[in-house]
């Protein structure tokens, strides 16, 4: 039996770690339900990890079978489980402030007769557009033109038209910092900051009037959720690419060329290339680890 295993190991097989199970711990000052759901989504979408749930613990304990290399008999070895990895997320300095902004103009691309140039608003001759003729150094009326003429006699490029309408715009200013640590695989922090509209006005051409619009604080939560999700997802997508080689056999244990510095944990299950079998880590040192086979396919032809 030992001789056959040594022959099996002699080709330097590559190992790929199985999908680990993650337990998420979140510390946040408020809106914990939204943030919690967001981080769970990030973990699931990454495709790299499974989520730890109490009611599914029984799924972690399975009968592990070893196929005898000399026959088709299946031998039950022992029960094993994949180690639980803690994913700690801490949200600090979360601030949500309201700010009121006085406005004298409103976007109106239907019938507005002002354009914005820097911080100024210029009244223009709406409906007549111009192109610049470099040969004559003149502005020529053109339907495909990018210029419009102001009542001050100057020509301007523009993005939007505006209508005079004095009003007050209210925005939320949201900021904070997220610290995360996916033990052994990914850790770091990132800040977020954004201005989100709370109350504003939008021009309605059908009634030639500006209508008031409002957002609830749920928009803040959506933003915080999206920024946390995108940042964490980006950072953990490349996490957990553990690969190693079997390079020795010590008594009845397999020696791998990866260890603590690579993020290997006791109980981690590795699959041998081409699904030839599986091993489970029993002891971990800094530069190497010891494992034992608990499943091998019959490779005899």
């Amino acid at each position: 039996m030992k001789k056959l295993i040594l022959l099996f190991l002699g080709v330097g097989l590559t190992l790929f770690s199985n999908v680990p199970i993650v337990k998420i711990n979140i510390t946040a000052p408020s809106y914990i339900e939204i943030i919690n759901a967001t981080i769970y989504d990030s973990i699931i979408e990454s495709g790299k990890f499974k989520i730890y749930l109490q009611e599914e613990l029984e799924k972690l304990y399975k009968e592990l079978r070893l196929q005898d290399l000399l026959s088709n008999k299946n031998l039950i070895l022992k029960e094993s489980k994949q180690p639980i990895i803690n994913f700690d997320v801490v949200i600090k300095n979360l601030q949500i402030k309201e700010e009121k902004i006085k406005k004298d103009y409103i976007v109106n691309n239907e019938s507005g007769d002002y354009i914005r140039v820097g911080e100024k608003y210029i009244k223009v001759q709406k409906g007549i557009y111009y192109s610049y003729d470099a040969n004559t150094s003149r502005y020529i009326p053109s339907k495909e033109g990018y210029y419009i003429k102001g009542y001050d006699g100057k020509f301007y490029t523009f993005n939007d038209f505006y209508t005079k309408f004095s009003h007050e715009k209210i925005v939320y200013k949201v900021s904070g910092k997220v610290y995360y640590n996916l033990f052994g695989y990914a850790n770091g922090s990132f800040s977020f900051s954004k201005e989100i509209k709370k109350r504003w006005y939008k021009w309605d051409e059908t009634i030639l009037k500006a209508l008031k619009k409002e957002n609830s604080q749920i928009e803040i939560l959506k933003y915080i959720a999206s920024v946390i999700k995108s940042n964490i997802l980006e950072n953990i997508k490349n996490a957990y690419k553990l690969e190693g080689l079997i390079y020795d056999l010590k008594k009845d244990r397999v020696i791998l060329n990866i260890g603590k510095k690579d993020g290997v944990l006791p109980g981690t299950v590795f699959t041998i290339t081409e699904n030839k079998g599986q091993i489970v880590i029993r002891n971990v040192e800094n530069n190497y680890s010891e494992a034992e086979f608990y499943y091998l396919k019959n490779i005899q032809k």
Side-chain angles (χ1 to χ4, degrees):
M1 181 73 166
K2 182 176 180 180
K3 183 178 179 181
L4 287 174
I5 292 178
L6 281 170
L7 289 173
F8 188 71
L9 299 176
V11 295
L13 297 174
T14 302
L15 303 172
F16 299 94
S17 181
N18 286 6
V19 177
I21 296 116
V22 172
K23 180 179 180 181
I24 300 175
N25 310 302
I26 301 170
T27 304
S30 55
Y31 313 118
I32 191 65
E33 294 83 4
I34 294 288
I35 295 167
N36 201 331
T38 296
I39 294 168
Y40 269 73
D41 284 346
S42 301
I43 288 289
I44 293 170
E45 284 189 28
S46 74
K48 303 286 183 180
F49 306 93
K50 293 179 181 178
I51 301 296
Y52 170 83
L53 298 175
Q54 286 286 26
E55 61 267 25
E56 293 185 354
L57 270 179
E58 67 272 13
K59 294 181 181 179
L60 304 180
Y61 297 89
K62 297 178 180 179
E63 288 184 341
L64 302 173
R65 298 175 181 274
L66 174 65
Q67 190 175 58
D68 192 329
L69 296 178
L70 299 177
S71 70
N72 292 323
K73 186 188 298 182
N74 290 323
L75 302 176
I76 298 175
L77 283 184
K78 62 192 72 178
E79 292 183 343
S80 181
K81 65 175 181 176
Q82 193 76 324
I84 304 299
I85 299 170
N86 282 312
F87 187 16
D88 299 316
V89 179
V90 179
I91 301 172
K92 292 186 176 181
N93 304 321
L94 179 59
Q95 295 186 17
I96 303 172
K97 297 180 180 178
E98 284 190 13
E99 182 175 315
K100 297 179 180 179
I101 305 168
K102 294 287 186 180
K103 296 282 185 178
D104 293 318
Y105 294 85
I106 187 172
V107 174
N108 174 11
N109 286 315
E110 298 292 332
S111 57
D113 54 359
Y114 286 83
I115 62 170
R116 184 175 177 177
V117 182
E119 296 301 316
K120 295 182 179 180
Y121 291 86
I122 308 295
K123 192 168 185 179
V124 296
Q125 299 173 13
K126 185 77 181 290
I128 305 174
Y129 302 100
Y130 298 82
S131 294
Y132 181 71
D133 187 339
N135 294 323
T136 62
S137 299
R138 298 177 60 186
Y139 291 91
I140 309 298
S142 170
K143 291 181 179 179
E144 287 78 34
Y146 295 101
Y147 294 88
I148 197 165
K149 189 175 183 180
Y151 278 95
D152 59 1
K154 297 179 181 179
F155 292 88
Y156 301 93
T157 56
F158 62 95
N159 292 317
D160 292 303
F161 288 102
Y162 294 81
T163 291
K164 256 192 173 182
F165 175 69
S166 294
H167 63 286
E168 185 178 70
K169 177 183 176 181
I170 303 177
V171 298
Y172 294 116
K173 290 200 168 181
V174 185
S175 62
K177 190 164 187 177
V178 177
Y179 299 83
Y180 63 91
N181 181 23
L182 183 58
F183 179 75
Y185 305 103
N187 63 81
S189 65
F190 57 87
S191 299
F192 57 89
S193 177
K194 190 174 182 179
E195 186 177 282
I196 302 172
K197 291 187 291 187
K198 177 184 179 182
R199 190 180 71 199
W200 72 104
Y201 288 82
K202 186 175 182 180
W203 185 262
D204 189 328
E205 188 65 16
T206 58
I207 59 175
L208 300 177
K209 185 179 179 181
L211 298 179
K212 184 169 69 174
K213 303 284 185 178
E214 290 197 55
N215 274 332
S216 68
Q217 282 199 340
I218 193 66
E219 295 303 318
I220 297 176
L221 302 186
K222 286 180 180 178
Y223 163 68
I224 295 174
S226 66
V227 74
I228 291 175
K229 182 175 179 179
S230 61
N231 277 275
I232 289 180
L233 186 57
E234 181 180 347
N235 281 280
I236 66 176
K237 268 187 174 180
N238 295 322
Y240 205 72
K241 290 186 176 180
L242 270 181
E243 297 180 13
L245 292 174
I246 298 173
Y247 71 92
D248 198 3
L249 188 68
K250 182 180 179 182
K251 294 184 179 179
D252 295 324
R253 297 225 168 170
V254 177
I255 309 301
L256 307 183
N257 67 342
I258 51 177
K260 287 180 182 177
K261 66 180 180 61
D262 304 296
V264 179
L265 299 174
T268 301
V269 177
F270 283 86
T271 298
I272 302 172
T273 311
E274 298 178 359
N275 201 28
K276 293 175 182 174
Q278 290 185 325
I279 61 173
V280 60
I281 301 296
R282 296 306 184 197
N283 181 49
V284 183
E285 300 298 333
N286 192 45
N287 297 309
Y288 70 93
S289 52
E290 297 179 4
E292 62 183 14
F293 283 101
Y294 64 77
Y295 173 80
L296 280 176
K297 282 189 174 179
N298 189 338
I299 60 174
Q300 291 184 350
K301 293 183 179 180

